[in-house]
Amino acid sequence: MTAITPPPSGTVDSSAKKKGGPSTTSHVHSPAPFYRQPLFLLKIGVYVSTGILQPVIIDTLRMRSCLGRKSLLLPTLAKTTGMALVGILSTKADRSTLRHLLRGSNDFRHSLLLAACVDLVSGMLLTGGILITGSSIFVVLYNSCPAWTAILSKYFLGRALTSKQSIGVLIVVLGLICNVFGTTEQLSGKGEGQQHLLAVVFGSGIVLLGCILHSAFFVLSDRSLRGHAKGSECHGTFKGGSDNAAVISPPLWSSCLGSMEAVVMTAYILTSVGAKGFQDAEESSDVCPAPEFVKGFSFMLMVDAFHSAAFFLMLKQIGAVGSALLKGVQSVAVVILSAIFFCPYEETQCLTTFKGLSVVLVLSGSFLYAAESTRSLQAMEKHRGVDGLPSVEVESLLDSRG
């Protein structure tokens, strides 16, 4: 995919100038509203629905002892393999561009390696966190991603937040605090509450650290797919070896990252299983029959693949913060489903007043941010048009480089 930057609005077409004809100006049409783009809505639907299924599947397999020892981090292997499979959506031209970039661009190779390292570490931390805390706590903490992503976007992509966007992020953070209070309240009344509370606090800390790194991965991918580097005039490009700038397609970006990460995870899991076995010592070796494991892991892999495809295809359209904010919608469904299916087995999965308030705050903050972003973008486009990127923006942060 070759990045084509149209002439700024109001500039004279050089060919017309040479021919002595009348000067022409470039006309840039504003993108249609997102609700008029069925394919875009389909991507959002797949992204949100698979994001809801992911933690629910992990919790189900965990409670059936089908994930083996927690330290194996088996869901991370499914996630990275799912990312690698997204490469089947790429075209021959995409693969040719990738070979060109790998041969001629040091910036691209460094960006790819850095993004893979950050994504792998964040994925391992998030997987470890959900196995300790459960999906109900995990998804609400995971919704701190918009706050971290907004902060990182500001400092690394040069994108400033409006006052209403800042308020939206703050409301999301308040929702996370309510979730912490709700979890503490649940565990304080239990006999083994202190020990369990320490484990949940430790797991929550791991999740939050994973969220910060995951947000950094959002920003790195955003910069690589849309080319918005702070202070850069080379939009959507990597410099190196050629005057013809190019960007990698989202499916291949996902596939490259997933392939590298899956190789590392496979080596780690095989080594760990060889050293300490698949199940904990106190667990029976046949606690999870092989057919049930294969069926569960295959379903998890399929969901991860669809989620990765939707994420990377959408990221080029809505950006890092917009993608992160969609997780607010996912958290509502996961908290409710966790309360329905897992509350009888784990008290921390039950829905309380604090947790209900947490969900409302997270969702409200997300919608406030998205509404303000859409309004700001429409005002910006009316004043100066768009920059030629094939986007239906949900956030106004993308064009601060102008």
Side-chain angles (χ1 to χ4, degrees):
M1 180 186 297
T2 302
I4 301 175
T5 306
S9 178
T11 58
V12 179
D13 186 280
S14 59
S15 61
K17 202 172 183 179
K18 289 179 182 178
K19 295 177 181 178
S23 64
T24 58
T25 58
S26 60
H27 298 283
V28 180
H29 298 285
S30 298
F34 72 91
Y35 52 80
R36 293 183 184 175
Q37 300 206 15
L39 183 58
F40 181 64
L41 290 176
L42 177 62
K43 294 174 188 176
I44 289 182
V46 171
Y47 179 69
V48 172
S49 59
T50 52
I52 292 170
L53 284 174
Q54 281 177 317
V56 174
I57 293 171
I58 292 175
D59 255 359
T60 302
L61 295 177
R62 174 178 64 87
M63 291 184 176
R64 295 179 180 177
S65 300
C66 287
L67 295 179
R69 291 182 291 109
K70 292 180 180 180
S71 60
L72 290 178
L73 304 176
L74 202 60
T76 304
L77 176 61
K79 170 189 171 271
T80 54
T81 305
M83 289 173 59
L85 292 175
V86 177
I88 63 177
L89 299 178
S90 63
T91 65
K92 184 177 180 180
D94 292 336
R95 293 188 287 273
S96 176
T97 299
L98 174 62
R99 288 191 293 270
H100 167 76
L101 287 170
L102 288 173
R103 287 195 302 264
S105 176
N106 286 327
D107 286 348
F108 173 74
R109 290 194 294 268
H110 293 160
S111 296
L112 185 65
L113 182 60
L114 177 61
C117 291
V118 171
D119 187 44
L120 180 60
V121 174
S122 70
M124 296 175 75
L125 290 172
L126 291 171
T127 298
I130 191 175
L131 293 177
I132 295 173
T133 64
S135 60
S136 178
I137 297 174
F138 170 83
V139 293
V140 182
L141 294 175
Y142 194 37
N143 276 279
S144 63
C145 284
W148 302 120
T149 306
I151 293 171
L152 293 174
S153 293
K154 178 179 180 179
Y155 288 101
F156 292 101
L157 300 182
R159 300 173 181 174
L161 296 177
T162 67
S163 57
K164 288 186 178 180
Q165 288 170 334
S166 299
I167 293 173
V169 171
L170 179 61
I171 292 174
V172 170
V173 174
L174 291 176
L176 300 178
I177 295 174
C178 284
N179 183 70
V180 173
F181 277 119
T183 302
T184 304
E185 182 185 50
Q186 283 179 307
L187 296 176
S188 61
K190 299 178 63 178
E192 70 276 21
Q194 288 300 321
Q195 184 176 358
H196 195 182
L197 178 60
L198 289 176
V200 171
V201 169
F202 175 71
S204 298
I206 291 177
V207 172
L208 285 175
L209 179 58
C211 286
I212 295 174
L213 291 177
H214 192 52
S215 296
F217 169 69
F218 272 31
V219 172
L220 289 171
S221 293
D222 190 352
R223 185 178 65 180
S224 298
L225 294 177
R226 300 202 299 167
H228 300 276
K230 187 174 181 179
S232 173
E233 297 300 326
C234 185
H235 309 323
T237 66
F238 289 98
K239 298 179 181 177
S242 173
D243 293 333
N244 297 322
V247 293
I248 187 172
S249 69
L252 275 185
W253 179 253
S254 172
S255 183
C256 288
L257 295 173
S259 298
M260 292 189 291
E261 295 172 30
V263 169
V264 175
M265 281 305 303
T266 300
Y268 165 75
I269 291 174
L270 290 177
T271 302
S272 185
V273 170
K276 297 184 178 180
F278 183 74
Q279 296 286 5
D280 288 318
E282 61 272 14
E283 292 282 359
S284 171
S285 59
D286 60 349
V287 66
C288 178
E292 185 175 351
F293 168 79
V294 172
K295 182 171 64 176
F297 186 82
S298 299
F299 184 53
M300 181 166 58
L301 176 60
M302 181 187 70
V303 169
D304 285 337
F306 277 103
H307 187 74
S308 296
F311 168 71
F312 285 102
L313 290 173
M314 272 199 329
L315 183 61
K316 193 166 184 176
Q317 291 180 285
I318 68 174
V321 180
S323 295
L325 284 167
L326 285 176
K327 296 184 183 298
V329 179
Q330 298 172 13
S331 71
V332 176
V334 174
V335 168
I336 294 174
L337 290 175
S338 296
I340 294 173
F341 294 109
F342 306 128
C343 181
Y345 308 101
E346 293 181 350
E347 187 175 348
T348 53
Q349 305 274 26
C350 298
L351 187 62
T352 64
T353 302
F354 269 115
K355 282 190 176 181
L357 178 60
S358 173
V359 170
V360 171
L361 288 173
V362 167
L363 194 59
S364 299
S366 298
F367 278 123
L368 175 61
Y369 185 101
E372 172 62 13
S373 298
T374 302
R375 187 198 65 78
S376 300
L377 179 67
Q378 289 172 345
M380 176 191 70
E381 289 176 347
K382 182 178 180 181
H383 177 66
R384 49 182 280 182
V386 294
D387 63 358
L389 288 171
S391 60
V392 182
E393 299 293 341
V394 181
E395 41 134 338
S396 65
L397 307 179
L398 66 102
D399 204 26
S400 62
R401 64 188 185 282

